[in-house]
Amino acid sequence: MDKKTFYITTPIYYPSDKLHIGHAYCTVAADTMARFKRITGYDVMFLTGTDEHGQKIQRVAEASGASPQQYVDKIVDGIVKLWELLDISNDDFIRTTEPRHVEAVQKIFKKLYDKGDIYKGNYEGWYCTPCEAFWTEHQLADGKCPDCGREVELTREEAYFFRLSAYQDRLIKFIEESDFIQPESRKNEMLNNFLKPGLEDLCVSRTSFDWGVPVDFDEGHVVYVWVDALSNYITALGYLSEDTSKYEKYWPADVHLVGKEIVRFHTIIWPAMLMALGEPLPKKVFGHGWLILEGGKMSKSKGNVVDPVVLADRYGVDAIRYFLMREMPFGADGVFSNEALIGRINADLANDLGNLVSRTVAMVDKYFSGIIPKPSTEGEHDAELKELAVSTPRVVEEYMDKLQFSSALTEIWKLIGSTNKYIDLTMPWVLARDESKKDRLATVIYNLADCIRIISVLISPFMPNTPALIWTQLGMDHGQGTGWEDIKEFGKLPTGMKVRKGEIIFPRIEQDRPQRQNTKEEEGEAKVEEKFISIDDFAKVDLRVATVLECEKVEKSKKLLKLKLDLGEETRQVVSGISEFYSPEDLVGKQVVIVANLKPAKLMGIESQGMILAASTPGDEELTVVTLLERIANGSKIT
Ligand code: MSP
């Protein structure tokens, strides 16, 4: 049987300038969805491209001394490279200057003209060049463009018109009765602000510039850019060309992803054009929010853009993709900041996911000579973890089908959190001390590794590079058990494979890194400053020797021990999170090192007057308390 198809698009971007992280946002979302649909068994068509015509492009090209074609070629080259860098898996890339597109747009225009849906008249109205939009007098906001607030120009010329008004009632009915426009709030906005007040016919040709698709039956006219641009969604599939097999296979689109300011074009002009052409309508248009920087929407003219190439280079592609999809719900605006990005990388990626993998691999290494053990003895906490693991794929599917990327990731991270918690609850290092518990230890370790297998597949549409790194560490070089149906079952990870400790997947990032883009020299200086502290800084820490007089477990806490310490002149009570590694009797009588001038703090309601020093491996799977080579008087200062 043929696979079900899924056709997803991004807007085609204006190659007037380099793209910024706001543009990357939509493309990453579309890519994530495309990847998700592919792994869940669909035959996917994922289209992106560039919208290269129009007066604005013509003007910037002229200002730079290049022809429009030379100008766009260069920018488009950069856009294609950007999508490669961000691992965008588009199946096609349409440029509106390509012959396949130009010819099809001419045929579309002619078809509509022959049908009587396009007619010739005179145009008078207000034109916003940056937005490529016409406005009527009453649509203007204080005489300016209602979208961008910039100056508009009064234009009067002979022009072709599209009978948009004729489709008003059909459009209202269609939009009201379907969930074509998502999210719901945008649907009401379109109905109340544009459709119900009444649609005027749309001017669809221009004569005042020539950088556009020529109307082939009337010299001097070029096709209005939105008619040219919107058509890309079908011209890329070969609509009205010699080979229409792709059009037949994939149209209508399952979803057009677009930014909220262009929902209007996609939910009024586009369906009306398709109705006029007698073609099926796309199933959904999803209007997403904007990435905002301090000072408003990112835009080159405001000078507040963030370059995705710099970000990817600095933090890694998967980390950026994760952040974009996690930080804000897809329909809403969200503020982009370096702090938020670094916060997510450190907490979610380095800590939660990275540590889970490195701790598990380290334990396979340490307790089973690096070989994934066979599970046998079931125990407490297993059933709960397994249930969560195999049910998460279904919940993720539900959220993805609603394009709720952030919620899907939240569910995946709940599983990661529970898997980490399972380590704390089962305490493998305690099991390891008792030979009779080896079988149980094997089960615990296997369950951890198998959860990581499931997690690696769940994250793959969002972070396409990370799964392979995880698989290498777990020894699953052939991606065994990583089909979408495989992860709805527990126990599909083969046993007997050799793990390979690898590099840390997501290294932590220093929070206090400078925000602006540094030069190489500055980066060097900053690193030197970060790496060294002065002797005065060190002298601020009062380190003292102390003997453990008493030690007991803190009730209801898995991690805390309460210690009474002799510091010579005084005794102190310290609470320390080392209970997983030491029992109280291991420590009584030992000399330890305490940070004596630490501000007292309460841990589970118990005051801790200082902190004892310990060394731990990166994933905290091993820990040892710092002691002294020989005994020395309590209270001695460490210098
Ligand atoms: N060429 C038209 C689209 C034609 S589609 C048939 C266009 N191009 S654009 O380059 O200006 O914008 C492309 C997309 O990028 C839009 O969906 C827009 O919302 C999105 N974004 C531009 N800046 C953005 C942010 N700061 N944040 C999120 N998306 C942003 O419009």
Side-chain angles (χ1 to χ4, degrees):
M1 202 181 79
D2 281 348
K3 279 192 192 173
K4 290 169 287 183
T5 61
F6 186 79
Y7 180 26
I8 185 166
T9 65
T10 71
I12 48 172
Y13 299 92
Y14 290 130
S16 49
D17 214 324
K18 259 172 47 174
L19 299 190
H20 56 64
I21 192 76
H23 300 114
Y25 177 60
C26 182
T27 309
V28 166
D31 183 64
T32 303
M33 195 63 195
R35 287 175 182 274
F36 176 75
K37 284 291 174 184
R38 284 191 202 108
I39 63 169
T40 53
Y42 286 76
D43 175 338
V44 172
M45 172 70 191
F46 167 23
L47 178 70
T48 188
T50 41
D51 183 2
E52 309 187 6
H53 292 128
Q55 194 167 16
K56 184 180 172 194
I57 303 258
Q58 187 164 17
R59 284 188 185 160
V60 286
E62 274 159 12
S64 79
S67 73
Q69 192 66 55
Q70 283 168 336
Y71 183 86
V72 295
D73 282 351
K74 194 162 152 251
I75 305 268
V76 171
D77 198 41
I79 294 175
V80 170
K81 290 207 174 83
L82 174 64
W83 299 152
E84 276 168 15
L85 173 72
L86 296 181
D87 282 305
I88 303 303
S89 62
N90 52 302
D91 298 290
D92 198 354
F93 187 101
I94 180 104
R95 300 184 56 179
T96 56
T97 51
E98 284 175 83
R100 62 167 171 160
H101 176 79
V102 172
E103 285 159 20
V105 168
Q106 287 175 329
K107 287 184 190 157
I108 288 170
F109 200 89
K110 184 76 177 20
K111 190 169 169 181
L112 294 175
Y113 179 74
D114 290 344
K115 260 196 81 197
D117 271 313
I118 282 180
Y119 61 91
K120 201 169 189 175
N122 281 305
Y123 180 75
E124 194 181 299
W126 298 92
Y127 189 68
C128 175
T129 308
C131 294
E132 314 262 17
F134 290 107
W135 303 100
T136 56
E137 185 83 40
H138 78 264
Q139 284 175 324
L140 299 181
D142 294 330
K144 305 249 168 71
C145 170
D147 261 0
C148 72
R150 281 180 272 205
E151 295 294 334
V152 285
E153 287 171 39
L154 183 65
T155 5
R156 187 177 289 118
E157 59 192 40
E158 183 191 76
Y160 285 92
F161 285 83
F162 172 58
R163 240 178 256 290
L164 188 59
S165 58
Y167 293 92
Q168 172 169 326
D169 295 344
R170 277 173 69 184
L171 282 170
I172 293 178
K173 190 165 170 348
F174 168 62
I175 289 172
E176 274 180 341
E177 289 172 5
S178 67
D179 56 4
F180 171 61
I181 306 181
Q182 296 285 320
E184 193 77 13
S185 57
R186 308 249 179 258
K187 168 172 172 174
N188 300 330
E189 190 185 324
M190 290 306 123
L191 283 167
N192 300 334
N193 299 0
F194 297 102
L195 283 158
K196 292 193 174 156
L199 292 176
E200 290 173 23
D201 286 353
L202 178 76
C203 175
V204 290
S205 78
R206 304 296 310 271
T207 49
S208 54
F209 62 90
D210 61 3
W211 181 238
V213 175
V215 175
D216 53 359
F217 54 87
D218 194 348
E219 210 182 316
H221 287 261
V222 293
V223 175
Y224 168 50
V225 275
W226 274 99
V227 169
D228 172 359
L230 289 163
S231 304
N232 92 88
Y233 301 129
I234 53 177
T235 62
L237 300 179
Y239 180 63
L240 299 182
S241 77
E242 272 170 22
D243 178 3
T244 55
S245 56
K246 277 195 182 153
Y247 181 73
E248 275 137 37
K249 184 169 180 190
Y250 294 110
W251 190 257
D254 290 270
V255 60
H256 294 308
L257 297 189
V258 300
K260 60 181 183 179
E261 84 286 16
I262 59 172
V263 168
R264 189 164 68 93
F265 301 94
H266 284 81
T267 58
I268 298 175
I269 303 178
W270 182 224
M273 275 173 67
L274 289 163
M275 284 174 181
L277 289 167
E279 300 298 336
L281 307 185
K283 292 179 201 157
K284 202 181 282 180
V285 170
F286 193 104
H288 64 76
W290 288 338
L291 281 191
I292 312 274
L293 280 186
E294 275 170 37
K297 188 188 173 203
M298 233 173 264
S299 87
K300 193 82 181 181
S301 56
K302 288 195 197 140
N304 64 347
V305 293
V306 172
D307 185 347
V309 178
V310 173
L311 283 186
D313 188 42
R314 186 177 285 176
Y315 303 112
V317 169
D318 280 14
I320 304 301
R321 290 178 56 122
Y322 172 76
F323 175 77
L324 291 176
M325 292 297 95
R326 177 68 191 258
E327 191 62 10
M328 61 208 210
F330 195 49
D333 288 349
V335 176
F336 178 89
S337 78
N338 267 30
E339 289 88 345
L341 170 62
I342 294 172
R344 283 274 176 211
I345 294 176
N346 286 348
D348 302 359
L349 300 182
N351 225 24
D352 297 345
L353 176 59
N355 276 351
L356 173 63
V357 175
S358 60
R359 285 171 93 182
T360 303
V361 170
M363 289 192 286
V364 176
D365 219 31
K366 187 167 167 191
Y367 304 137
F368 295 95
S369 314
I371 306 293
I372 304 267
K374 242 194 173 59
S376 55
T377 317
E378 292 278 315
E380 216 192 333
H381 313 298
D382 292 10
E384 206 183 324
L385 180 71
K386 289 183 186 179
E387 239 162 68
L388 181 69
V390 298
S391 64
T392 302
R394 266 177 257 279
V395 185
V396 166
E397 263 172 55
E398 278 167 28
Y399 281 122
M400 291 300 280
D401 283 337
K402 290 187 264 177
L403 294 147
Q404 295 182 2
F405 300 101
S406 178
S407 302
L409 282 170
T410 305
E411 293 302 320
I412 301 170
W413 254 254
K414 275 189 201 157
L415 174 59
I416 294 174
S418 295
T419 314
N420 271 318
K421 196 158 154 230
Y422 178 79
I423 304 183
D424 300 338
L425 293 171
T426 53
M427 296 196 277
W429 48 90
V430 174
L431 298 172
R433 284 192 209 133
D434 188 342
E435 194 50 37
S436 73
K437 298 204 171 121
K438 192 93 187 177
D439 281 353
R440 176 67 188 138
L441 179 63
T443 308
V444 166
I445 300 295
Y446 180 84
N447 288 348
L448 288 172
D450 205 35
C451 277
I452 295 175
R453 168 185 68 90
I454 293 172
I455 291 162
S456 74
V457 180
L458 291 170
I459 62 170
S460 64
F462 299 88
M463 295 190 277
N465 298 293
T466 305
L469 300 178
I470 295 177
W471 299 348
T472 306
Q473 298 209 7
L474 283 181
M476 331 159 34
D477 293 328
H478 304 294
Q480 296 92 327
T482 55
W484 188 256
E485 291 310 313
D486 294 333
I487 64 167
K488 292 178 180 167
E489 262 178 74
F490 208 85
K492 285 255 171 169
L493 180 77
T495 56
M497 291 175 317
K498 180 125 182 72
V499 301
R500 266 173 253 128
K501 267 189 172 177
E503 282 185 20
I504 292 179
I505 305 178
F506 293 104
R508 283 186 69 81
I509 292 165
E510 292 301 326
Q511 271 288 6
D512 57 355
R513 240 186 133 106
Q515 296 299 301
R516 68 199 164 79
Q517 295 171 14
N518 295 334
T519 61
K520 286 263 179 307
E521 289 79 352
E522 281 174 327
E523 287 273 353
E525 276 171 30
K527 275 201 194 109
V528 171
E529 274 172 28
E530 272 168 29
K531 197 165 152 197
F532 295 108
I533 58 166
S534 72
I535 185 92
D536 299 339
D537 289 332
F538 177 68
K540 285 184 197 151
V541 186
D542 187 16
L543 296 172
R544 302 275 175 168
V545 176
T547 295
V548 181
L549 298 173
E550 292 167 16
C551 181
E552 62 184 77
K553 278 180 126 333
V554 170
E555 242 181 77
K556 294 208 189 97
S557 165
K558 291 239 170 334
K559 294 199 169 171
L560 299 180
L561 287 181
K562 186 170 87 179
L563 302 102
K564 194 160 160 201
L565 302 177
D566 178 0
L567 266 83
E569 304 272 275
E570 55 173 325
T571 56
R572 292 259 190 119
Q573 171 175 291
V574 167
V575 181
S576 180
I578 52 174
S579 170
E580 292 160 330
F581 304 93
Y582 290 95
S583 33
E585 58 276 15
D586 294 339
L587 293 169
V588 174
K590 294 256 161 57
Q591 273 198 316
V592 295
V593 177
I594 166 174
V595 183
N597 60 343
L598 201 65
K599 219 186 204 167
K602 279 204 168 156
L603 291 150
M604 292 193 69
I606 306 167
E607 184 166 83
S608 180
Q609 305 154 329
M611 180 174 91
I612 67 166
L613 297 188
S616 63
T617 50
D620 275 355
E621 75 275 0
E622 288 178 56
L623 178 145
T624 178
V625 163
V626 173
T627 55
L628 297 144
L629 206 51
E630 276 143 34
R631 289 195 78 83
I632 190 166
N634 288 330
S636 298
K637 192 168 166 55
I638 295 183
T639 51

